[in-house]
Amino acid sequence: MRSGRRLAVLASRVRFEEKQIMAALERRGATFVHLDPRALVVADGVSRTDFVLNREVGHYRALYAASALESAGATVLNTAAATHVSGDKWLTTSALMAAGLPTPRTALAMTPEAAVDALDQIGYPAVVKPLVGSWGRLVTALPDRATATAVLEHVAALPSPQQHVVYVQELVEKADRDIRVLVVGGEALGATYRRGDEWRTNVARGAVSTRCDLTDVHTKLAVAAAEAVGAEIAGVDLLEDADGHLTVLEVNDRVEFRGFQDAHEIDVADAIASYVLGRAGA
């Protein structure tokens, strides 16, 4: 690192990905500290680090830690703004639509009752998703209006007012897979198919990653989607319908890449370490 520059990796849980990134930084001779956000206090307006790679697994800790560190003068990758947008499904959809990118038909209802009307407009089958969440948790398929009404009655009983704002989306009829493209610094590293035994093809839910030949269309959509949410490092999820048309489903700003790594010979951690050190002025 350039003299005086202080680098940190922000993470409360050091998983496979964080271990790989830290090892890649060490191989490149970088000096860095592991910063645990659970013990982080930014109170005096002065950051103890100059450049922070945000790998915090929890959305709200990642968001507020990034915001606090930025306010104290640190550069955070990805930025608090990127984490804010990509960590919220509606804000992500809004950013994708504003950029003119194809995305499944989506509506945001301010109440569970209004969500029933929104679903009538979108049509069935559909899906209801929490605004903030990952790994496919609490994402529910809605085959018909009766199921939707029952699910939304449970949503109305949830304690948080935020949970009563309902994100609904068409359920794209697709093959038993989706496509994950990894983007680092505006370049697509590669792509994988993710296949599972159920309609949610999250690796965390048991889906298996296999290599996908990266096409120009994949690259263009993924890079544009990452740029739309402001993420320099991202995992972009694409859906392919029965006719081969692609839509952008979501953008992950603190992307997990173990499945991708298993399917490729690409060293994702080293690519991230190289980009981080370049951005940090190494």
Side-chain angles (χ1 to χ4, degrees), residues 6 25 77 101 180:
R6 298 162 297 179
L25 289 170
L77 184 69
L101 297 174
R180 162 67 62 84

Side-chain angles (χ1 to χ4, degrees), residues 3-121:
S3 177
R5 295 284 283 176
R6 298 162 297 179
L7 173 65
V9 177
L10 182 77
S12 58
R13 291 170 52 192
V14 179
R15 303 164 297 173
F16 168 86
E17 289 81 2
E18 289 71 44
K19 290 176 182 177
Q20 293 293 306
I21 291 170
M22 290 178 182
L25 289 170
E26 289 173 350
R27 287 195 302 271
R28 288 176 170 270
T31 300
F32 65 92
V33 296
H34 169 214
L35 190 61
D36 189 336
R38 294 172 297 186
L40 177 65
V41 176
V42 182
D44 56 6
V46 178
S47 174
R48 302 295 185 266
T49 55
D50 299 302
F51 196 96
V52 180
L53 175 63
N54 191 349
R55 293 292 309 176
E56 168 52 30
V57 65
H59 170 68
Y60 289 107
R61 271 203 302 256
L63 173 59
Y64 285 103
S67 177
L69 289 163
E70 288 174 353
S71 71
T75 298
V76 182
L77 184 69
N78 288 306
T79 64
T83 297
H84 177 57
V85 174
S86 61
D88 182 295
K89 291 181 176 60
W90 173 251
L91 295 181
T92 298
T93 295
S94 297
L96 295 173
M97 291 191 297
L101 297 174
T103 189
R105 287 179 297 147
T106 305
L108 189 70
M110 298 302 109
T111 65
E113 293 77 18
V116 177
D117 295 331
L119 286 162
D120 286 340
Q121 297 176 38

Side-chain angles (χ1 to χ4, degrees), residues 16-17 179-183 188-194 203 208-212 214 234-235 255-269:
F16 168 86
E17 289 81 2
I179 298 170
R180 162 67 62 84
V181 182
L182 286 190
V183 177
L189 297 184
T192 56
Y193 291 120
R194 300 187 301 174
V203 172
V208 176
S209 294
T210 58
R211 183 169 179 165
C212 170
L214 185 67
V255 60
E256 295 170 290
F257 53 81
R258 185 167 195 162
F260 182 99
Q261 193 78 63
D262 290 341
H264 279 276
E265 296 180 358
I266 300 168
D267 191 334
V268 179

Side-chain angles (χ1 to χ4, degrees), residues 178-206:
D178 66 4
I179 298 170
R180 162 67 62 84
V181 182
L182 286 190
V183 177
V184 177
E187 295 184 9
L189 297 184
T192 56
Y193 291 120
R194 300 187 301 174
R195 290 182 170 89
D197 294 331
E198 60 167 298
W199 62 278
R200 291 173 292 185
T201 48
N202 303 84
V203 172
R205 306 192 71 84

